[in-house]
Amino acid sequence: MLPTSHDYRPEIDGLRAIAVMSVVLYHFGVPGLQGGFVGVDVFFVLSGFLIGGLLWGEHRDTGRIRIGAFYLRRFRRLAPAFFVMALVTAAVAWKVLLPFEYREFGKTLIAAAVYLSNILFYRSSGYFDSASEEKPLLHTWSLSVEEQFYIVLPLMMLLVARWPRLFLAVLVGAATASLALCVLVTPVDQPATFFLFPYRAWELLAGVLLAIWGHGRAQDWDAHPALSWVGLALVLGGIALIRPQGFPGAAAIIPVLGTVLLLLNGRNDNAVNRLLSRRVPVFIGLISYSLYLWHWPVVTLGTYWLGAEMTALQAVIGINLSLTLAVLSWAFVERPVRRSTRLSARRLIGGVVAGSAALLAVGAGLFLKDGVPGRFDASVSRHIAASSDFLQDFSRCAVAPDGPLAGIELCPIGPEGAPRVLVWGDSHARAWHDGIAQAASEGQTPGLLIWTAGCPPLIGTAKTESAATPAEDARCAEINAQIAAALPVLEGFEKVLLVGRWTYYSSGAGVGLDVANRIEVRHGTLTGAKAVEAAWTDTASALLDRFEEIVVLRQVPELPAYDSRIISRALAHSRMTAAEAEAALTLDPAETQARVAEAEAPIRALQEAGVVTVLDPWPLLCGDAGCSGAQDDILYFDNNHLTNTGARALRSVLAPVFGAPK
């Protein structure tokens, strides 16, 4: 028979304990659990099994599904603890997060309140997106996936469950298609398959199909001890061995299959089920929802406050704090609401509406007030201003639907009209965008900007980068090849401006705060600095055939120790003095000259040969006392990118490309 509210299976709570503890310990950095995140996949199968079984059983027994009663049960089970966690997290974040981070928190609060946070996190998983430790509600993505499942499954049952064979065919087809998409799309768009419901539906449907199969066969969930041992081995093996790279994809089949086998044989009297049914794992399973809710804000806000990864002792303290909050949430929020006989349907719905409205109001307020910057004093404010001064207006940009640049995002700059200047670059072109756009407008010269993060704007190059996915690496090579092929048919352009982090490509590594970033540039059979040198020769040759002038923007000096976000946090939380922050903004020109020498050698050779014109922003940043990333305002966002203010302040260097202001 199927599990119902009257047919309690303690081993399922034990399985919940494995799932939630694997996630919690993984997030707190406990070694040996590299795949602890697969606990979420276990939860998906369990949700599908329990919810699908209850709905199917109700339909088979009564001929209908009481949608209203189903959602009231879901609200009673999930909403109260979620509301409390979200509001408490918002209150703590008031003291911890910087304005631009708190503003983004407001967006996630809104998205989580309407069960769309998984879509928001997918859409925001970009090159300059906040790191996971800056997203205290990141874990709500999985709750959104489940809520979307709670909408889709009952509606499917209402539509086709009166024809059981058709309904099963639809479920099997949907699960098969979802799994196939998950496996095929993960290599090219991992964020999509990780966050979005269509690629995760098969995991939930695996549980649903198991429940329906058991119902049809009057299954007693007692097959053979070997199934439990194999199932446990698959789940634990996934937790220990699966890596984030390339997940979910086919690797997700391992924990999903393991969970299915454990459920299938859950009533069998064997050592695995006896262990899962013991008091401690069962209790952890009972508090698993609250533990999942509370542990991630503890991880993120704790790590953020400390300014570094947690030590072993701090992780132990964090785990125990998470467990304490979970027990309190379960005892004083979850259980009382679920057991209350005085909480009528009307009151429950009213409470859910009020709680959702509160989250939406708080989130909207934080977003509209730009994260309430007045919370911090003046010594921090200028660095905070720099940390939020990196989002440009790309409303004029659009992906070309056809033509030689089809599929590439093109950003018009300057006045309307046929573009006369092509700006081609990497993330430095993005950082310079506002300065380039203003220079083009002032010079009354229309142009077109193309930028691809971490991708050298050099013909014939490909790259492998530690900070990029394989799909992003492949896209870089594709775009460079497409631009090269398009050059002969591009019309109206007179000049091309190349913008890039040239030292990064030649040296193969970042510097200072991003020294761990690695990149290997390839050009034919060459790699590294030799590949870049050869690429400059080929690029200049190809561009000379098409443009009247080739202009190269010299990379701004790198400030190894500066990042506006890190500095702002350190100042705000008294981990750094104002003098130390200012020191991070200065640099001895001789130091940076040594770093750029190799990268600039081929550019200087082309300049001396009269092939390219080099625009140099260094005189605007460097003097006898050294180079500085600050004037009246801070001009740098991090150790190598300008802020919008910085780009506008240095735009005079671009006058030879776009003309003097008119």
Side-chain angles (χ1 to χ4, degrees), residues 259-308:
T259 306
V260 167
L261 293 177
L262 286 165
L263 290 171
L264 177 62
N265 198 48
R267 289 298 198 189
N268 183 265
D269 184 16
N270 61 68
V272 171
N273 288 331
R274 288 195 296 271
L275 177 63
L276 293 176
S277 300
R278 286 185 174 274
R279 182 175 300 177
V280 171
V282 166
F283 179 72
I284 294 175
L286 291 173
I287 67 169
S288 60
Y289 175 60
S290 281
L291 181 54
Y292 182 78
L293 285 179
W294 284 102
H295 89 282
W296 184 245
V298 172
V299 171
T300 56
L301 296 178
T303 301
Y304 188 105
W305 180 264
L306 293 168

Side-chain angles (χ1 to χ4, degrees), residues 287 290-292 294 321-331 334:
I287 67 169
S290 281
L291 181 54
Y292 182 78
W294 284 102
L321 176 58
S322 301
L323 287 167
T324 300
L325 291 171
V327 171
L328 293 174
S329 174
W330 173 75
E334 271 195 78

